[in-house]
Amino acid sequence: QVQLVESGGGLVQAGGSLRLSCAASGSIFSINDMGWYRQAPGKQRELVASITNSGSTNYVESVKGRFTISRDDAKNTVYLQMNSLKPEDTAVYYCNAEIQVSYFRKKTIKWGQGTQVTVSS
């Protein structure tokens, strides 16, 4: 059973920083794309940032220049460094990953349970 476990959320003042981590555990053959999504109250879940297994990154326009996504494949972990946080960044942040559990199995998308990020003004 593959699990994604997020950590690093919390309460921070505007202008502050947080670093989110998401570690995948279980029987893992390979991990392809990894990403971070967020969902604010009353809004749809949106992609914040993604990273391929070759290191190519993609960001939603509103976080470009402030957030950085990275991954450590030796630890099956993806990170999201969030700087210059704004109240509008307040949301539950979810990680996801495209995981293959064995050579003979198809890739599937796994999600973490979410971590709350609250930015006060």
Side-chain angles (χ1 to χ4, degrees):
Q1 185 77 6
V2 175
Q3 285 187 319
L4 298 183
V5 178
E6 297 122 336
S7 60
L11 173 64
V12 64
Q13 288 188 331
S17 297
L18 284 173
R19 188 191 194 211
L20 305 183
S21 299
C22 172
S25 62
S27 177
I28 297 171
F29 174 72
S30 67
I31 301 178
N32 295 322
D33 294 355
M34 305 182 83
W36 288 96
Y37 286 70
R38 67 186 178 187
Q39 188 166 21
K43 294 188 176 181
Q44 289 189 329
R45 190 175 297 190
E46 67 169 350
L47 174 65
V48 176
S50 63
I51 184 168
T52 68
N53 56 5
S54 62
S56 295
T57 59
N58 181 54
Y59 298 91
V60 67
E61 190 65 34
S62 60
V63 308
K64 285 182 179 178
R66 300 189 296 122
F67 291 10
T68 302
I69 189 170
S70 61
R71 61 191 286 170
D72 183 339
D73 289 334
K75 297 181 179 179
N76 290 334
T77 299
V78 62
Y79 305 97
L80 186 67
Q81 178 66 44
M82 306 185 293
N83 299 328
S84 302
L85 282 160
K86 303 176 181 180
E88 51 264 43
D89 295 318
T90 295
V92 178
Y93 283 70
Y94 300 88
C95 69
N96 82 345
E98 186 181 42
I99 293 176
Q100 190 172 5
V101 298
S102 75
Y103 178 81
F104 302 102
R105 300 285 294 273
K106 293 181 180 179
K107 304 180 187 71
T108 58
I109 302 295
K110 300 292 185 182
W111 289 88
Q113 80 285 357
T115 185
Q116 177 71 45
V117 171
T118 303
V119 184
S120 63
S121 57

